Amino acid sequence: MKQVKILDLKFDIHISAGYVYGQAQTPDEVYEMIREADHMLYQSKDNVRNQISGGPSRYN
């Protein structure tokens, strides 16, 4: 968690993210990789939040 100060206000910043990497060969594979990254995002949120989850795509 990171705290940011804007004027006299302080905000806590929380970030969860998901990613995959690989080499898509077709538009359908690109969309599938996006779905895989989205799945990883929700995995981050379900686990603890404030984390990044990811890894190789099945199109690696």
Side-chain angles (χ1 to χ4, degrees), residues 3 7 12-13 19 21-22 27 29 36 39 51-52 54 56 58-59:
Q3 196 170 71
L7 299 175
D12 293 334
I13 304 296
Y19 73 92
Y21 59 87
E29 290 177 358
E36 290 176 8
H39 174 76
Q51 71 176 22
I52 298 171
R58 64 181 175 169
Y59 301 107

Side-chain angles (χ1 to χ4, degrees), residues 19-49:
Y19 73 92
V20 296
Y21 59 87
Q23 268 190 316
Q25 301 296 317
T26 67
D28 286 340
E29 290 177 358
V30 171
Y31 288 118
E32 181 58 33
M33 288 180 73
I34 292 169
R35 283 190 286 274
E36 290 176 8
D38 190 53
H39 174 76
M40 298 306 276
L41 167 62
Y42 283 99
Q43 183 176 326
S44 290
K45 288 182 174 184
D46 288 343
N47 285 341
V48 213
R49 296 193 178 240

